[in-house]
Amino acid sequence: MDYEEYFKASVQKIKAEDRYRVFADLERHSGNYPHALNRRDGAAEDVVVWCSNDYLGQGQNPIVLEALVEAAEKLGCGSGGTRNISGTTHLHVILEEELAQLHGKEAALLFTSGYVSNDAAISTITQLMPDCVILSDAWNHASMIAGIRHSGCEKRIYDHCDMAHLERLLKEIDPARPKLIAFESVYSMDGDISPIKEICDLADTYGAMTYIDEVHAVGLYGDTGGGITQREGLQDRLTVIEGTLAKGFGMVGGYITGSAALVDAVRSNAPGFIFTTTLPPPVVGGAIASVRYVRQHNELREKHQERAAKLKQMVADAGLPLMESVTHIVPVMVGDPVLCKRATDMLLADYNIYIQPINYPTVPKGTERLRITPSPFHTDALMEDLVGALVEVWQRLELRQAA
Ligand SMILES: *Cc1c(COP(=O)(O)O)cnc(C)c1O
């Protein structure tokens, strides 16, 4: 048996489909975001990062760094165990209280990542119900899909944000069966937002639980960064609000918030929570500082929105095919995987602009795009450089213009 051949064949297949991924080897300059050093072919060049999910630049906030270093010095680095076996530090307890407050919920539970939180929580919550059915938005993130698969429950997929379709599916299910509707608030490849209130209304009518992934909204929306559910005053209506510490909060880790009973049940049953070492105390200390800072600094959110609106305007004014987005995400359509990759290679090689191409399977084939994420630290001058470079690349590769 030549095992190596199978590994090589699998990569060949991906290459043949033009979706082989090459990672940029970056060294971010703390204090100088969004600038970074990019190592490539033995050389290192300064680039401007335009595709980070460190949306608010919290990864370099001096207050966060100070809290992280202080926690490391006081408590050491690794937590030394699972939550049950000596891995619960007081910082974990404080962070969970902070996150429960952020979302107006009774309790919160930390996981090692947002991915793990979705996988563990969705599978556990639904497995606790007899014969549960999961209703899932067609565009849900891979981590929610993993949770649904691992639940072993029946799943029904509704067309993206299509409330009539969701209602039709709900109607077909025996009213006596438990149901969970799983969806995101901000869909981060298009920058659209779910009709959360309508989903909650349907959930009430048909007796379903609701599970919302606010990963691309926590820290960024609502008076204190509680996400779209906070902005729209809907926090009470969701059964579970899930989030990450890795994007708006610039750290790493994931969490769910919900009723005390639900969180206790997940805490007591989810293997992805129980059988793994907890987040390192320095990460948790930094995350506490970040969440507190972001809650208090609404001007950061305002600046973030202002930057995104400005860039969208500039992209549209330049005649580039800006995709409709009602959020901080600035997607620009290319519509071809090879050209999408060539455009981003050209931006990096000739303009020192780093944007990762977004190709299948992250987005449907034929909708390959650049996904640009301006932060409060992307200045007007950087935006002018970016749009100038995009216009040139669009001409050089004869990419499609705005409709
Ligand atoms: C990034 C992402 C996650 C995973 O969060 P991590 O903390 O990066 O593991 C979950 N859901 C959505 C929608 C995401 O985009």
Side-chain angles (χ1 to χ4, degrees), residues 59-336:
Q60 64 161 22
N61 183 331
I63 292 168
V64 177
L65 292 177
E66 198 184 312
L68 180 138
V69 170
E70 192 191 315
E73 283 171 354
K74 275 167 71 175
L75 307 168
C77 44
S79 73
T82 63
R83 285 295 287 269
N84 190 43
I85 308 179
S86 97
T88 300
T89 71
H90 190 51
L91 292 178
H92 291 82
V93 177
I94 293 173
L95 181 54
E96 284 174 342
E97 283 168 4
E98 192 76 30
L99 292 167
Q101 271 180 31
L102 175 67
H103 294 290
K105 293 290 189 192
E106 288 173 0
L109 197 66
L110 279 171
F111 297 83
T112 45
S113 75
Y115 187 103
V116 172
S117 67
N118 276 335
D119 185 3
I122 292 175
S123 58
T124 301
I125 290 165
T126 52
Q127 277 171 356
L128 293 174
M129 309 284 151
D131 200 22
C132 191
V133 187
I134 303 172
L135 297 111
S136 174
D137 186 289
W139 288 12
N140 277 345
H141 188 259
S143 55
M144 301 177 90
I145 296 168
I148 294 166
R149 291 230 171 93
H150 290 155
S151 75
C153 293
E154 183 188 340
K155 70 159 191 279
R156 309 294 299 273
I157 294 169
Y158 62 93
D159 294 339
H160 177 56
C161 290
D162 184 337
M163 292 301 98
H165 191 199
L166 174 59
E167 181 156 28
R168 243 183 296 134
L169 294 179
L170 282 164
K171 263 191 189 143
E172 286 169 16
I173 300 165
D174 179 349
R177 284 180 77 180
K179 296 170 267 303
L180 175 81
I181 308 172
F183 61 105
E184 301 175 24
S185 58
V186 172
Y187 281 86
S188 83
M189 293 301 152
D190 285 58
D192 59 331
I193 297 178
S194 285
I196 304 171
K197 182 179 173 298
E198 286 71 14
I199 294 172
C200 291
D201 289 346
L202 285 175
D204 287 350
T205 304
Y206 294 92
M209 298 181 286
T210 48
Y211 184 106
I212 192 168
D213 173 322
E214 284 250 56
V215 160
H216 289 279
V218 293
L220 312 180
Y221 295 90
D223 283 347
T224 65
I228 304 288
T229 46
Q230 184 185 52
R231 183 180 83 177
E232 299 184 356
L234 296 169
Q235 304 195 103
D236 289 352
R237 300 204 51 200
L238 280 301
T239 313
V240 178
I241 299 176
E242 182 269 348
T244 185
L245 300 167
K247 293 171 185 174
F249 296 123
M251 195 59 62
V252 71
Y255 62 90
I256 59 163
T257 64
S259 72
L262 179 142
V263 167
D264 202 18
V266 175
R267 185 185 73 87
S268 307
N269 287 287
F273 173 81
I274 296 172
F275 298 105
T276 190
T277 299
T278 60
L279 289 169
V283 165
V284 181
I288 293 167
S290 183
V291 172
R292 285 183 178 161
Y293 184 91
V294 167
R295 285 180 78 182
Q296 288 160 5
H297 289 78
N298 205 35
E299 77 281 0
L300 206 56
R301 277 180 283 284
E302 284 169 1
K303 178 85 177 167
H304 182 226
Q305 291 299 315
E306 181 275 327
R307 293 285 78 195
K310 169 105 194 210
L311 182 62
K312 283 186 206 169
Q313 190 62 51
M314 289 170 68
V315 168
D317 288 349
L320 295 160
L322 174 72
M323 295 169 65
E324 213 174 302
S325 158
V326 294
T327 62
H328 56 284
I329 309 287
V330 184
V332 184
M333 182 61 84
V334 177
D336 179 276

Side-chain angles (χ1 to χ4, degrees), residues 331-351:
V332 184
M333 182 61 84
V334 177
D336 179 276
V338 179
L339 290 173
C340 195
K341 174 83 170 59
R342 280 183 61 193
T344 55
D345 284 347
M346 204 177 256
L347 285 167
L348 190 59
D350 299 347
Y351 304 91

Side-chain angles (χ1 to χ4, degrees), residues 333-376:
M333 182 61 84
V334 177
D336 179 276
V338 179
L339 290 173
C340 195
K341 174 83 170 59
R342 280 183 61 193
T344 55
D345 284 347
M346 204 177 256
L347 285 167
L348 190 59
D350 299 347
Y351 304 91
N352 288 343
I353 285 171
Y354 171 47
I355 301 174
Q356 193 65 24
I358 305 290
N359 283 357
Y360 178 82
T362 307
V363 295
K365 286 180 180 168
T367 71
E368 293 80 5
R369 68 196 67 174
L370 309 188
R371 172 186 180 272
I372 308 173
T373 53
S375 75

